[in-house]
Each structure stands twice: as structure tokens, then as C-alpha cells.
Amino acid sequence: MDQLVIGGRSLQSRLFIGTGKYSADTLIPEVVKKSGSEVITVALRRIDFNSPTGNVMDHIPSGMQLLPNTSGARNAQEAIRIARLAKAAGCGNWIKIEVISDNKYLLPDGYETIKATEVLAGEGFVVLPYISPDLMVAKQLVEVGAAAVMPLGAPIGSNRGLKTKELLRILIEEIALPVIVDAGIGKPSDACEAMEMGAAACLLNTAIASANQPELMAEAFGMAVAAGRKAYLAGLGRSEKYASSSSPLTGFLHN
Amino acid sequence: MSFYDEYLQYSNADMEEVFQHTTSADIERIIGKDRLTPRDFLALLSPKAEDYLEWMAQKANQLTVQNFGRVILLYTPMYLSDYCTNKCTYCGFNVTNAFTRKQLTMEEVEKEAQTVAASGIQHILILTGDAPAIAGVPYMKECVAILKRYFSSIAIEVYAMEEEEYAQLMEAGVESMTMYQETYNPILYDRLHVKGPKKDYRYRLDAPERACKAGMRAVNIGALLGLDDWRRDGFFTGLHANYLQNKYPGVEVSISLPRIRPTMGNCETGNSVNDKSIVQFMTAFRLFMPRAGMPLSTRENAEFRNHAIKLGITKMSAGVQTAVGGHIDSQENSGQFAVSDTRNVKEMSDAILQLGYQPVFKDWQAI
């Protein structure tokens, strides 16, 4: 049975989803159900623990693996504080490190991400850092104890697809940890392509949340990720630039 | 280097000429672009672009949903003090306006906080006039210490300060600031701000940058549309926001689009800004800065605000009282401006839901 194991937990689904940007949090249970996803990320800073009418956590089906994220952190220190608070608030010990000090493109800060990962992994967190697909950063994250690496396919929320494909390919080849493509995936075909390349999983939010019918889009992504994974396991045939010629150039060689 | 240098580069440009040379083909090409230059933004503010309002609106809607989702953050302003030493011709707090001034005591701040927090609001914007001797940094810090217990995010809209003073307020718990330049036209600015510390155009112009330098998380700027030609002030507001975002990438930069409302000290400005113009500015700015926030106040009426949700707005105020102490005593009527959309927080939330958006009460917490 093909399973993804992270932080000691076996996952059947390789699609991780988010909780932001929905027109109503009440859509989340159906999105979860239709996508088949087992991991869901939530920004700790946005959880309204004091609200009398409840908060986003009330809509996350039990049994899902929570992946709180450090959205809003501008440096390692802030990310570490958020992670500890998430744990104290009962969100478990998984944490997605997101350190961003660029509000224009939302590109992550590799150096601060490595620092935060080192501290939190040392404290027993299952750390999934969001990074630019930089091989050296990824290697250092392996060194300091990350549980996976999460390189971007394109800037967050851009829906532009796998713009960083060549760099992702290198990470998938070189990094022994699960490589989870996070951010930029706009269409199910993008997710499928990432999985065909050998990505361990995909994390996406905007493409589902901003669809006209989020539940239907969630289902489409679930199928695309599963299809891409199967294709990867089956071993894709070689792709040829030219058709196999029926009049081969070396056909005259007889001995 | 300050934004003033950038302002000077453009201030002598003949905008009329740019507008005259902008063709329909230019507008169509710009709407199709991923990233707009300041020159593109200016073209979208041209009279010619009015013919393309629906195109701009469609693109603005798509960019806003993509970058912010179908959510609207709700906040409420709290007026702490209306003492003011400035004489600004368009403002109700004008020092020469004869009315009984009021400043909240700490007990009153607490009561106001309880009332506002009970409505579900978690993002609060505190406002004062310009009277540092009475409602200065020490007073604000005292207020913030109380408000911190009730709200997850505290923003200030007060007089222009030194970087060090912004740092002190942040230390106390403030994380966001709003500063309207009112008008970027220095000659008009000088005429409208008859006397008082606000008369110093450059000091105010550089205030948002001083807040950025102090490490403020979010900075909101704006011009009071209707004082000068809205196309001109709209352009400089966008240019200013772009300058700040490029120089301080970690800061969440946003713009407001207030247009002049009747106040007690009403003045005739002669530059009325109609709904179409506001929408043109709103959508042009969204295309220029897809990731920048755009709050919309209750100066606008309910119908307009309902429509604006789909045109690029990201935050809205609700349950607004523009008088000091207005939340605990709604008889107060000496407000800074007249509120057009009087819906309370519950009514506003319901309207947002009805439009297929989620009202959000918290998207930040100081950690």
C-alpha cells in the first residue's frame, strides 16, 4: 500500500489543503470530504479563540491532521513563538514554518526559516518548512531536522502553476525527505504534474477556495493528485522528441 | 530619499497631456498586463478609461478574490479625544469650531471597549485630534494598555509623530497606523490647513515612512478625495503606496479612498467625486497593486458599500460612531464626519454573508 509517512503518521491522501479565503467556513467539511485530504493547514494568528459564535477549528473534521502555520511571522523568533502558542492552544506538534518579510511576492526567507526549523525540531515539533526551491536551503533543513520540505511552484495565491519546475525536479532528486509542492498550484493538472515528477504531496488553498464551486474543485484536485501519484509509481514511459523512424538512419548496418 | 523626491518627479508632469494621449488600445493592453507601471496606473485614471470600467471591475474582482479570498475584515473606530490645535477648513474637529470638547477617561475607554468588543469586533482603530499636550503618546499608551485586553489588533489614526514615538506606541501594543495626506498638492494643502502643526506638509508626508522605519506592521494611507482633482490625488496616493511597499517590503501597505462628507465646519470644495470616479480609482489601484489592502469607511452609504465588496475592498468598518464616547452614549452628535452607513456589526456581517463573502473579525494577533 502506497503511503506517505510524516512525523510517524501514515497518510493515504497526498493532498494537503488550507482554510483561508473561503466565503464561509461552513464549506470546509464538504471540501475535506470531497478532496479526501487528511492534512489541513490553519493560520494560528487568524484563529478567533474568543469568538462566541465559534471559529474555523469548529469546521475541521475530527481525525484530520492539523498543520498550524506561522503566517504573519517576519523572522525566526516570531515563527518560534507562534509554533509554541499553537501547541499550547491544543493544535498538536506539527508546524508549517512560513517566514515572510516580503508583502509583495510573499517569498519566504530561507535563512530565518532554517533558524526556526532548527529550534522547533529540537523541541520535538514535526516541522514542515515553506521554502523557495533552493537546494542548499533544503539540504540545511534536512540537517537541522525538518520532517519534509515544502518548495513553492509559484508565489502564494498566484495560481500560476509549476513555474519553478526545474528546481523542484532537482529537490525531488536530491532530497531524501518528502518534497511537498506548496503554493502556486492553480489547476488540477499542475498538481498532477507535480505528482508525476515524484513530489510526495501537494499543498494548496487558493485554487480550491477561490473556485466558484470549491467542493467540486476539491474533488478534482483529489483525483488529480491520486492520478499523478499512480503515474509516478507506474513509471512513466520515455517521452521522445521525434517519432521512431520507419526508415532508420542506421538501418544499412548489417553486421 | 523620501517620497517627496518621487512626488517632485511627477508633480510637474502634465497629466492632462498624458490623458489626452491615452488611447483605447493602451487601456486594453494595460488591463491585460500582469504588472503595471506608475504610467499604466495613471492611464487607468484617465477619462478615457471610464469606458472600460466594467473590464477593470472584472479584473479587480478576480485579483482581489485570488489574493484575499472572499472575505471582508470588520473593524470599528473609537474616537478617544476631539481636542485639536489645527485649523483645517474641512474638518469637524477644527480648533475654531465652538463645541464642548471631550476626551475619554480611562474608565470611559474601558466601557467603550466593552461595548465594542461585545459586538464581536476584534480590530480597533483609535483616533484623536492633534493635541499632543492633552492626547499625546502617554495618554494613548494608557488607553492601549486597556484596549489590549479586549482586541487582537490595535491601529492608530492620530497626528503625525516622530519615529521614536511610533516605536513607543508599538511597544505598548499598537501594530498598525493610518495617516491621510488629505491632498498631495502642496499649495492647496497650505491653503486648507490654515494653522496648527498639521500645516507642515513635508512632516505629514513622511509620517507613514517614519512608521515603517519604526517597524509598524501595517500602514494605511489616503487622500481626502474632493479637495483637489481626484485623478491627481488618486495617482499620488497609489504612487506613495507603491513607494512604501517597495522600500519596506515587510509592511502591509493599504490605501483608503475617503471622499469628503458634510461636517460641522463644512467648506465648499467644488471637486465633487461621484460613485463612478471612486470605482475607477478603486479598480485602477487594485490592478496597480494587487496585494494591497483597501478599507472602506462608513462615509459611504450601504448600497455603495455592498457593491464595493466585489470591486477590491478588503476591510470595512461597522457599528461606527464618529463622536468621542459615541459607543457608550449614542446621543453624542459632534462627530468628525457624518456616517452614511449606520448598520451595526450584526447587520453588516449579515449583509456580507448575503453577498457570498465571509465577515472576518480577526486576522491578526500580536504574538
Side-chain angles (χ1 to χ4, degrees), chain A residues 14-33:
Chain A
R14 290 169 180 269
L15 172 60
F16 296 9
I17 60 173
T19 49
K21 300 186 175 176
Y22 284 101
S23 60
D25 289 343
T26 47
L27 288 165
I28 293 172
E30 198 58 20
V31 164
V32 168
K33 194 173 147 197

Side-chain angles (χ1 to χ4, degrees), chain A residues 21 45 47-48 103-104 157, chain B residues 66 122 246 249 362 365:
Chain A
K21 300 186 175 176
R45 258 184 164 133
I47 305 175
D48 192 350
N103 193 49
K104 199 164 168 184
Chain B
Q66 188 186 329
Q122 297 214 36
N246 286 335
K362 178 186 172 191
Q365 180 189 343

Side-chain angles (χ1 to χ4, degrees), chain A residues 19-25 44-53 71-74 78 81-82 85 100-106 156-160 206 209-212 214, chain B residues 34-35 65-71 118 120 122 150 152 170 215-218 242 245-246 248-253 291-292 353 356-367:
Chain A
T19 49
K21 300 186 175 176
Y22 284 101
S23 60
D25 289 343
L44 182 83
R45 258 184 164 133
R46 299 201 179 93
I47 305 175
D48 192 350
F49 290 108
N50 299 325
S51 168
T53 53
S71 169
R74 289 189 288 187
E78 282 180 33
R81 277 209 299 273
I82 295 172
L85 267 173
I100 293 174
S101 51
D102 154 41
N103 193 49
K104 199 164 168 184
Y105 299 100
L106 300 178
I156 295 179
S158 68
N159 282 352
R160 293 169 70 92
T206 304
S210 63
N212 286 334
Chain B
D34 277 344
R35 208 150 264 289
V65 170
Q66 188 186 329
N67 283 291
F68 294 88
R70 288 189 178 88
V71 298
Q122 297 214 36
Y150 295 92
S152 74
M170 287 171 56
M216 201 68 82
R217 176 181 77 86
N242 189 46
Q245 190 66 91
N246 286 335
Y248 304 94
V251 177
E252 248 183 65
V253 176
R291 288 209 29 79
L353 281 168
Y357 280 61
Q358 177 178 194
V360 167
F361 293 90
K362 178 186 172 191
D363 86 339
W364 186 261
Q365 180 189 343
I367 288 177

Side-chain angles (χ1 to χ4, degrees), chain B residues 138-191:
Chain B
Y139 170 75
M140 289 179 212
K141 280 164 76 175
E142 253 189 283
C143 295
V144 169
I146 293 170
L147 296 170
K148 253 178 18 182
R149 299 205 298 269
Y150 295 92
F151 304 100
S152 74
S153 166
I154 302 171
I156 49 167
E157 185 175 340
V158 300
Y159 57 89
M161 291 178 175
E162 292 296 320
E163 182 183 330
E164 212 283 312
E165 293 176 298
Y166 287 125
Q168 277 188 49
L169 287 172
M170 287 171 56
E171 184 68 30
V174 170
E175 42 88 30
S176 171
M177 76 87 88
T178 285
M179 174 66 59
Y180 294 158
Q181 183 60 27
E182 320 296 11
T183 177
Y184 285 86
N185 175 344
I187 297 162
L188 178 64
Y189 185 95
D190 192 61
R191 206 167 71 225

Side-chain angles (χ1 to χ4, degrees), chain A residues 37 41 50 75 88 128 158 182 235 246:
Chain A
S37 178
T41 188
N50 299 325
N75 54 47
L128 291 84
S158 68
D182 178 0
S246 50

